[in-house]
Coordinates of all heavy atoms in Angstrom, one line a residue:
T20 N -8.2 -9.0 3.9 CA -7.1 -8.2 4.3 C -5.8 -8.6 3.5 O -5.6 -9.8 3.3 CB -6.9 -8.4 5.8 OG1 -8.0 -8.0 6.5 CG2 -5.7 -7.6 6.3
V21 N -5.1 -7.6 3.2 CA -3.8 -7.8 2.5 C -2.7 -7.3 3.5 O -2.9 -6.2 4.1 CB -3.7 -7.0 1.2 CG1 -2.3 -7.1 0.6 CG2 -4.7 -7.7 0.2
Y22 N -1.6 -8.0 3.5 CA -0.5 -7.6 4.4 C 0.7 -7.3 3.6 O 0.9 -7.8 2.5 CB -0.2 -8.8 5.4 CG -1.4 -9.2 6.2 CD1 -2.2 -10.3 5.8 CD2 -1.8 -8.5 7.3 CE1 -3.3 -10.7 6.5 CE2 -2.9 -8.9 8.1 CZ -3.6 -10.0 7.7 OH -4.7 -10.4 8.4
L23 N 1.6 -6.5 4.2 CA 2.9 -6.2 3.7 C 3.9 -6.4 4.8 O 4.0 -5.5 5.7 CB 3.0 -4.8 3.0 CG 4.4 -4.6 2.3 CD1 4.5 -5.5 1.1 CD2 4.5 -3.1 2.0
Q24 N 4.6 -7.5 4.8 CA 5.6 -7.8 5.8 C 6.9 -7.1 5.3 O 7.4 -7.5 4.2 CB 5.8 -9.3 6.0 CG 6.9 -9.6 7.0 CD 6.6 -9.2 8.4 OE1 5.5 -9.4 8.9 NE2 7.6 -8.6 9.1
M25 N 7.5 -6.2 6.1 CA 8.7 -5.5 5.7 C 9.8 -5.8 6.6 O 9.7 -5.5 7.8 CB 8.4 -4.0 5.6 CG 7.2 -3.6 4.8 SD 7.0 -1.8 4.6 CE 6.5 -1.4 6.3
N26 N 10.8 -6.5 6.1 CA 12.0 -6.8 6.9 C 13.2 -6.1 6.4 O 13.2 -5.5 5.3 CB 12.2 -8.3 6.8 CG 11.1 -9.1 7.4 OD1 10.4 -8.7 8.3 ND2 10.9 -10.3 6.8
S27 N 14.2 -6.1 7.3 CA 15.5 -5.4 6.9 C 15.3 -4.0 6.4 O 15.8 -3.6 5.3 CB 16.3 -6.2 5.8 OG 16.5 -7.5 6.3
L28 N 14.5 -3.3 7.1 CA 14.1 -1.9 6.6 C 15.3 -1.0 6.6 O 16.2 -1.1 7.4 CB 13.0 -1.3 7.5 CG 11.6 -1.9 7.3 CD1 10.7 -1.7 8.5 CD2 11.0 -1.3 6.0
K29 N 15.3 -0.1 5.6 CA 16.3 0.9 5.4 C 15.7 2.3 5.5 O 14.5 2.5 5.2 CB 16.9 0.7 4.0 CG 17.4 -0.7 3.7 CD 17.9 -0.9 2.2 CE 18.4 -2.3 1.9 NZ 18.8 -2.4 0.5
P30 N 16.6 3.3 5.8 CA 16.1 4.6 5.8 C 15.4 5.1 4.5 O 14.4 5.8 4.6 CB 17.3 5.5 6.1 CG 18.2 4.5 6.8 CD 18.0 3.2 6.2
E31 N 15.8 4.5 3.4 CA 15.2 4.9 2.1 C 13.8 4.3 1.9 O 13.1 4.6 1.0 CB 16.1 4.5 0.9 CG 16.6 3.1 0.9 CD 18.0 3.0 1.5 OE1 18.3 3.7 2.6 OE2 18.8 2.3 0.9
D32 N 13.4 3.4 2.8 CA 12.0 2.9 2.8 C 11.0 3.9 3.5 O 9.8 3.6 3.4 CB 12.0 1.5 3.5 CG 12.7 0.5 2.8 OD1 12.7 0.4 1.6 OD2 13.4 -0.3 3.5
T33 N 11.5 4.9 4.1 CA 10.7 5.9 4.7 C 9.7 6.5 3.7 O 10.2 7.1 2.6 CB 11.5 7.0 5.4 OG1 12.3 6.4 6.4 CG2 10.6 8.1 5.9
A34 N 8.4 6.5 4.0 CA 7.4 7.0 3.0 C 6.0 6.8 3.6 O 5.9 6.1 4.7 CB 7.5 6.2 1.7
V35 N 5.1 7.4 3.0 CA 3.7 7.1 3.3 C 3.3 5.9 2.4 O 3.4 6.0 1.2 CB 2.7 8.3 3.0 CG1 1.3 7.8 3.2 CG2 3.1 9.4 3.9
Y36 N 2.8 4.8 3.0 CA 2.4 3.6 2.3 C 0.9 3.6 2.2 O 0.2 3.7 3.2 CB 2.9 2.4 3.0 CG 4.4 2.2 2.9 CD1 5.3 3.0 3.5 CD2 4.9 1.1 2.1 CE1 6.7 2.8 3.3 CE2 6.3 0.9 2.0 CZ 7.2 1.8 2.6 OH 8.5 1.6 2.4
S37 N 0.5 3.4 1.0 CA -1.0 3.3 0.7 C -1.4 2.0 0.0 O -0.7 1.5 -0.8 CB -1.4 4.5 -0.2 OG -1.1 5.8 0.4
C38 N -2.6 1.6 0.4 CA -3.1 0.4 -0.1 C -4.0 0.7 -1.3 O -4.7 1.8 -1.3 CB -3.9 -0.4 0.9 SG -4.7 -1.9 0.4
N39 N -4.0 -0.1 -2.3 CA -4.8 0.1 -3.6 C -5.5 -1.1 -3.9 O -5.0 -2.2 -3.8 CB -3.8 0.5 -4.7 CG -4.4 0.4 -6.0 OD1 -4.3 -0.6 -6.7 ND2 -5.1 1.5 -6.4
A40 N -6.8 -1.0 -4.4 CA -7.5 -2.1 -4.9 C -8.1 -1.7 -6.2 O -8.5 -0.6 -6.5 CB -8.7 -2.4 -3.9
Q41 N -8.1 -2.7 -7.1 CA -8.5 -2.4 -8.5 C -9.7 -3.4 -8.7 O -9.7 -4.6 -8.5 CB -7.4 -2.7 -9.5 CG -6.3 -1.7 -9.3 CD -5.1 -2.0 -10.2 OE1 -5.3 -2.7 -11.3 NE2 -3.9 -1.6 -9.9
R42 N -10.8 -2.7 -9.2 CA -12.1 -3.5 -9.4 C -12.8 -2.9 -10.6 O -13.2 -1.8 -10.6 CB -13.0 -3.4 -8.2 CG -14.3 -4.1 -8.2 CD -15.1 -4.0 -6.9 NE -16.3 -4.7 -6.9 CZ -17.4 -4.2 -7.4 NH1 -17.5 -3.0 -7.9 NH2 -18.5 -5.0 -7.4
F43 N -12.9 -3.7 -11.6 CA -13.6 -3.4 -12.9 C -13.1 -2.0 -13.4 O -13.9 -1.2 -13.8 CB -15.1 -3.3 -12.6 CG -15.7 -4.6 -12.2 CD1 -16.5 -4.7 -11.1 CD2 -15.4 -5.8 -12.9 CE1 -17.1 -5.9 -10.7 CE2 -16.0 -7.0 -12.5 CZ -16.8 -7.1 -11.4
G44 N -11.8 -1.9 -13.4 CA -11.2 -0.7 -14.0 C -11.2 0.5 -13.1 O -10.6 1.6 -13.4
Y45 N -11.7 0.4 -11.9 CA -11.7 1.5 -10.9 C -10.6 1.3 -9.9 O -10.3 0.1 -9.5 CB -13.0 1.7 -10.2 CG -14.1 2.2 -11.1 CD1 -14.9 1.4 -11.8 CD2 -14.3 3.6 -11.1 CE1 -15.9 1.9 -12.6 CE2 -15.3 4.2 -11.9 CZ -16.1 3.3 -12.7 OH -17.1 3.8 -13.5
Y46 N -9.9 2.3 -9.4 CA -8.9 2.3 -8.5 C -9.4 2.9 -7.1 O -10.0 4.0 -7.1 CB -7.7 3.1 -8.9 CG -6.8 2.4 -10.0 CD1 -7.4 2.1 -11.2 CD2 -5.5 2.1 -9.8 CE1 -6.7 1.4 -12.2 CE2 -4.7 1.5 -10.7 CZ -5.3 1.2 -12.0 OH -4.6 0.6 -12.9
Y47 N -9.2 2.2 -6.1 CA -9.6 2.6 -4.7 C -8.3 2.7 -3.9 O -7.4 1.9 -4.0 CB -10.6 1.7 -4.1 CG -11.9 1.5 -4.9 CD1 -12.0 0.5 -5.9 CD2 -12.9 2.4 -4.7 CE1 -13.1 0.4 -6.7 CE2 -14.1 2.3 -5.5 CZ -14.2 1.3 -6.4 OH -15.3 1.1 -7.2
W48 N -8.3 3.7 -3.0 CA -7.1 4.0 -2.2 C -7.5 4.1 -0.7 O -8.6 4.6 -0.3 CB -6.5 5.3 -2.6 CG -5.9 5.2 -4.0 CD1 -6.6 5.6 -5.1 CD2 -4.6 4.8 -4.4 NE1 -5.7 5.4 -6.2 CE2 -4.5 4.9 -5.8 CE3 -3.5 4.3 -3.7 CZ2 -3.4 4.5 -6.5 CZ3 -2.4 3.9 -4.4 CH2 -2.3 4.0 -5.8
G49 N -6.6 3.7 0.1 CA -6.7 3.9 1.6 C -6.2 5.3 1.9 O -5.7 6.0 1.0
Q50 N -6.2 5.6 3.2 CA -5.7 6.9 3.6 C -4.2 7.0 3.8 O -3.7 8.1 3.8 CB -6.4 7.3 5.0 CG -5.8 6.7 6.2 CD -6.1 5.2 6.4 OE1 -6.8 4.6 5.6 NE2 -5.5 4.6 7.4
G51 N -3.6 5.9 3.8 CA -2.1 5.9 3.9 C -1.6 5.8 5.3 O -2.3 6.2 6.3
T52 N -0.5 5.2 5.5 CA 0.1 5.0 6.8 C 1.6 5.4 6.7 O 2.3 5.0 5.8 CB -0.1 3.6 7.4 OG1 0.4 3.6 8.8 CG2 0.6 2.6 6.6
Q53 N 2.1 6.1 7.7 CA 3.5 6.6 7.6 C 4.4 5.5 8.2 O 4.2 5.0 9.2 CB 3.7 7.9 8.5 CG 5.1 8.4 8.6 CD 5.6 8.9 7.2 OE1 4.9 9.7 6.6 NE2 6.8 8.6 6.9

């Protein structure tokens, strides 16, 4: 598991956040979280 701790959030941080993994030149993506 990888975590992203986000502090002091700003309105400009509003977005869909997606996780990415790179393995042997391939990119894999999660479904995203708002």
Side-chain angles (χ1 to χ4, degrees):
T20 300
V21 172
Y22 304 97
L23 185 67
Q24 178 67 44
M25 305 185 294
N26 299 327
S27 302
L28 283 161
K29 305 175 181 179
E31 51 263 44
D32 294 319
T33 295
V35 174
Y36 286 70
S37 299
C38 180
N39 164 267
Q41 297 175 23
R42 180 178 184 273
F43 298 130
Y45 287 89
Y46 285 59
Y47 300 91
W48 295 92
Q50 81 284 359
T52 185
Q53 176 70 44

